[in-house]
Amino acid sequence: MGVLRVDHPDIQEFVHAKQNDNALTYFNISVGVTDTFMVAVRDDLPFDLVFEDKVYSTINARNLWDDIMRSTWDWAEPGVLFLDQINRMNNLGYMEEITTTNPCGEQPLPPGGACLLGSFNLTKYILTEDEESLFDICQLTEDIPVVVRAMDNVIDRTTYPLEEQECEAKSKRRMGLGVTGLANAMEALGHSYGSAGGLEFIKTVMSTLRDHAYEASAELAKEKEAFPCMSDAYL
């Protein structure tokens, strides 16, 4: 994953870097977007391109944003990372700054971060009763703590390529729980994408996953002690 901040002097060249058949062919690329840039886009303000506190040029923010979106539409790259929002939502934001993602699951990670991802296949929770499809939220609720425990065990059983990765993983015990088969499950339940019913379904599933994953994590902390980087700031 190659990431360049939106305020870097080379950003315009970077946006077009993969619009060919021979450059960066084994790279994904993304633009690291800041709140300041998005305000400039919204309000049609000039935007400075800066490196090491030196302003190299001033551009039109909307034109750059349109250029990024046009390239994404035509070439499927670059992606966009909302860096300030990522760091605001990071539970470990009190001790680390995230500037990029890994190239596979595109999971925001700090330097040395190790990727540990698990997904619940939502189609497996579809039940049929009297020719009506239902979602078994109770079974999902029961499965979440089992998967949280299993993934926590993976942290200790993994062979890490780098010492820095092992230290990062074991000191923070970071894991990513998500879902797959979302569109298929929604279709089985009769919800179209973007419909009120579909959005309510997504809200129910993801809030259930969030709340019970946190609860399972807290129970593990009672049993195994809190992760080493735990501090009052986390709470």
Side-chain angles (χ1 to χ4, degrees), residues 148-227:
V148 168
R149 177 178 290 274
M151 293 182 68
D152 185 69
N153 289 337
V154 168
I155 295 171
D156 297 318
R157 297 176 67 91
T158 294
T159 300
Y160 296 89
L162 301 174
E163 183 179 343
E164 293 86 350
Q165 291 173 322
E166 182 172 8
C167 179
E168 177 73 23
K170 291 183 176 179
S171 64
K172 298 175 182 176
R173 307 196 73 82
R174 171 188 257 114
M175 68 177 70
L177 286 176
V179 300
T180 188
L182 174 61
N184 303 90
M186 288 173 59
E187 182 180 9
L189 295 169
H191 301 309
S192 60
Y193 230 84
S195 66
L199 293 174
E200 188 61 32
F201 170 70
I202 294 172
K203 180 180 178 181
T204 298
V205 169
M206 299 311 293
S207 61
T208 299
L209 177 56
R210 176 198 63 203
D211 295 346
H212 288 278
Y214 278 134
E215 183 179 17
S217 180
E219 292 299 320
L220 277 180
K222 292 180 186 178
E223 177 184 331
K224 299 183 177 183
E225 298 185 350
F227 63 98

Side-chain angles (χ1 to χ4, degrees):
M1 173 63 75
V3 177
L4 195 67
R5 282 178 59 99
V6 73
D7 52 12
H8 191 280
D10 294 334
I11 190 62
Q12 291 160 305
E13 182 181 358
F14 180 78
V15 168
H16 299 280
K18 289 193 67 175
Q19 294 180 5
N20 55 70
D21 297 323
N22 54 23
L24 299 175
T25 52
Y26 294 100
F27 266 78
N28 292 335
I29 64 171
S30 287
V31 175
V33 171
T34 63
D35 287 350
T36 301
F37 175 72
M38 293 310 298
V39 169
V41 172
R42 182 193 65 192
D43 296 340
D44 198 16
L45 300 174
F47 184 72
D48 292 335
L49 301 183
V50 182
F51 185 70
E52 293 184 342
D53 298 324
K54 177 182 176 181
V55 176
Y56 281 76
S57 62
T58 299
I59 63 170
N60 181 279
R62 283 189 181 177
N63 288 345
L64 176 57
W65 180 249
D66 288 344
D67 208 18
I68 295 169
M69 293 299 101
R70 190 175 299 109
S71 179
T72 300
W73 178 265
D74 291 338
W75 293 87
E77 289 195 87
V80 172
L81 303 177
F82 294 99
L83 296 178
D84 293 322
Q85 182 71 353
I86 286 172
N87 284 287
R88 271 194 297 271
M89 297 185 70
N90 180 15
N91 290 340
L92 295 167
Y94 59 87
M95 62 172 300
E96 65 182 24
E97 181 180 6
I98 291 176
T99 59
T100 188
T101 69
N102 77 333
C104 179
E106 299 193 12
Q107 177 187 358
L109 290 170
C115 183
L116 173 58
L117 301 179
S119 292
F120 292 91
N121 185 350
L122 298 185
T123 63
K124 298 296 185 180
Y125 296 92
I126 301 295
L127 303 176
T128 302
E129 294 183 5
D130 298 326
E131 298 184 354
E132 181 181 2
S133 294
L134 304 171
F135 187 81
D136 193 347
I137 195 72
C138 294
Q139 184 64 58
L140 176 64
T141 299
E142 291 179 12
D143 290 346
I144 291 169
V146 178
V147 175
V148 168
R149 177 178 290 274
M151 293 182 68
D152 185 69
N153 289 337
V154 168
I155 295 171
D156 297 318
R157 297 176 67 91
T158 294
T159 300
Y160 296 89
L162 301 174
E163 183 179 343
E164 293 86 350
Q165 291 173 322
E166 182 172 8
C167 179
E168 177 73 23
K170 291 183 176 179
S171 64
K172 298 175 182 176
R173 307 196 73 82
R174 171 188 257 114
M175 68 177 70
L177 286 176
V179 300
T180 188
L182 174 61
N184 303 90
M186 288 173 59
E187 182 180 9
L189 295 169
H191 301 309
S192 60
Y193 230 84
S195 66
L199 293 174
E200 188 61 32
F201 170 70
I202 294 172
K203 180 180 178 181
T204 298
V205 169
M206 299 311 293
S207 61
T208 299
L209 177 56
R210 176 198 63 203
D211 295 346
H212 288 278
Y214 278 134
E215 183 179 17
S217 180
E219 292 299 320
L220 277 180
K222 292 180 186 178
E223 177 184 331
K224 299 183 177 183
E225 298 185 350
F227 63 98
C229 287
M230 173 71 174
S231 78
D232 290 342
Y234 179 83
L235 302 174

